[in-house]
Amino acid sequence: MFTGSKAIIKLSLILLTVASTVFLSCQRPINKVPVDNQQPSNLPERTILDTAYGTDPRNKMDIYLPAGRNNTTKTVVMIHGGGWVGGDKKDMKFAVDLFKAKWPQAAFVSINYRYANGSTVTCDPILSDIHAAITLVVNNRSKFQVSDQVALLGASAGAHLALIYAYTQNQKGHVKCVVDLFGPSTLNDWQWYNAVFPLNYKDLLTKINGTTWNEPIYKNNSPNSRAHKDAPPTIIFHGTLDPVVPLYQSQWLRGRLNELKVPNEYYEYLDFHGFTMENYNDCADKCIRFFKQYMK
């Protein structure tokens, strides 16, 4: 989620925690997707929490390795929201649990990253955090018994980071596809920059970009501008009632990807910034089918 002040950050995280708890406590059955046709090993399930991938206290990640994994096991890296200035990997635990239940053959990694502060930590340093986390997983794939194929999934500000990383930092080709959950794709959106409800967007955008309004810098950090014909396949989800990130930004990104002929899927829900359990279930099913299509 986005936040504009310490009070809003705290409230947003509380609401996210409550929503996640309600989401997990509901008793509707989880829709299953077909299992993978891979020869399982005899390795047990393993969870490694708070693994350091860098020197900053925020450079930590949780690794969830499935039972029976082998060197073909795919990895999904999840990136939390929080307006680039808040949030935590624990906010994505409900998503990890949901995806594990639906795709038990996959590995999942949920990462923290340094918060943007407008000076020493802006977009590029945060992307370097994501790169370090992915590199640790790929370099230790023999130890973890996973493949070097990675999908990125981000929510809100985390979706922006997943997209911009996939479109600009994927020279080695490890990222095979990316999921955008109600994320901003156009930081150089003057109307959004000047909006006063429900958040202080100027403050947030200044912190992630390192400057007040600067068209070239904001554009350079925008997935909509940095998308290219060889960008990884992208699947986008957005709520039509989202008051935080404008729906039209996801529509713009979809149009840009279509123009470039980048494989993509696009879905809208009658929902807000964050989805109901029913919509999250549908979203997960669509994501996993998308992963299996592009992570061969």
Side-chain angles (χ1 to χ4, degrees), residues 39-61:
Q39 187 64 35
S41 69
N42 60 359
L43 291 171
E45 182 178 0
R46 185 183 180 194
T47 299
I48 311 170
L49 302 179
D50 288 325
T51 297
Y53 65 82
T55 58
D56 190 89
R58 290 283 306 168
N59 294 155
K60 298 288 179 65
M61 61 184 180

Side-chain angles (χ1 to χ4, degrees), residues 16-87:
L16 178 57
T17 301
V18 172
S20 300
T21 302
V22 172
F23 168 70
L24 288 173
S25 65
C26 296
Q27 298 300 312
R28 294 185 56 158
I30 295 176
N31 297 323
K32 300 294 183 181
V33 297
V35 298
D36 297 328
N37 293 320
Q38 65 183 45
Q39 187 64 35
S41 69
N42 60 359
L43 291 171
E45 182 178 0
R46 185 183 180 194
T47 299
I48 311 170
L49 302 179
D50 288 325
T51 297
Y53 65 82
T55 58
D56 190 89
R58 290 283 306 168
N59 294 155
K60 298 288 179 65
M61 61 184 180
D62 297 336
I63 303 170
Y64 303 87
L65 301 173
R69 62 192 178 278
N70 58 34
N71 60 10
T72 69
T73 296
K74 310 303 186 293
T75 301
V76 179
V77 175
M78 296 188 174
I79 307 175
H80 69 79
W84 305 290
V85 299

Side-chain angles (χ1 to χ4, degrees), residues 1-3 6-24 87 90-91 94 182 198-199 243-244 272-276 280:
M1 287 184 183
F2 280 77
T3 50
K6 290 183 179 180
I8 295 177
I9 292 172
K10 184 175 181 181
L11 176 60
S12 298
L13 294 178
I14 291 172
L15 290 175
L16 178 57
T17 301
V18 172
S20 300
T21 302
V22 172
F23 168 70
L24 288 173
K90 66 184 179 183
D91 300 333
F94 80 96
F182 41 87
L199 304 173
V244 178
F272 297 89
H273 193 68
F275 301 145
T276 63
Y280 269 126

Side-chain angles (χ1 to χ4, degrees), residues 116-136:
N117 60 22
S119 56
T120 58
V121 183
T122 54
C123 189
D124 283 346
I126 296 175
L127 293 182
S128 71
D129 286 352
I130 297 170
H131 183 74
I134 293 173
T135 299
L136 185 148

Side-chain angles (χ1 to χ4, degrees), residues 106-122:
F108 297 90
V109 176
S110 182
I111 72 170
N112 277 345
Y113 49 86
R114 287 172 289 172
Y115 294 142
N117 60 22
S119 56
T120 58
V121 183
T122 54

Side-chain angles (χ1 to χ4, degrees), residues 92-190:
M92 299 300 288
K93 184 59 167 59
F94 80 96
V96 170
D97 291 341
L98 174 62
F99 276 76
K100 281 175 61 179
K102 290 175 174 289
W103 195 15
Q105 298 82 18
F108 297 90
V109 176
S110 182
I111 72 170
N112 277 345
Y113 49 86
R114 287 172 289 172
Y115 294 142
N117 60 22
S119 56
T120 58
V121 183
T122 54
C123 189
D124 283 346
I126 296 175
L127 293 182
S128 71
D129 286 352
I130 297 170
H131 183 74
I134 293 173
T135 299
L136 185 148
V137 173
V138 171
N139 286 350
N140 288 277
R141 59 186 180 276
S142 296
K143 176 181 177 181
F144 295 144
Q145 277 296 286
V146 297
S147 76
D148 62 355
Q149 295 193 28
V150 174
L152 296 183
L153 182 153
S156 194
H160 162 264
L161 295 171
L163 290 168
I164 198 69
Y165 182 91
Y167 295 171
T168 67
Q169 309 290 317
N170 193 34
Q171 288 80 6
K172 294 186 177 180
H174 294 307
V175 177
K176 301 301 181 183
C177 51
V178 58
V179 177
D180 167 10
L181 300 180
F182 41 87
S185 63
T186 307
L187 304 192
N188 59 314
D189 177 355
W190 179 249

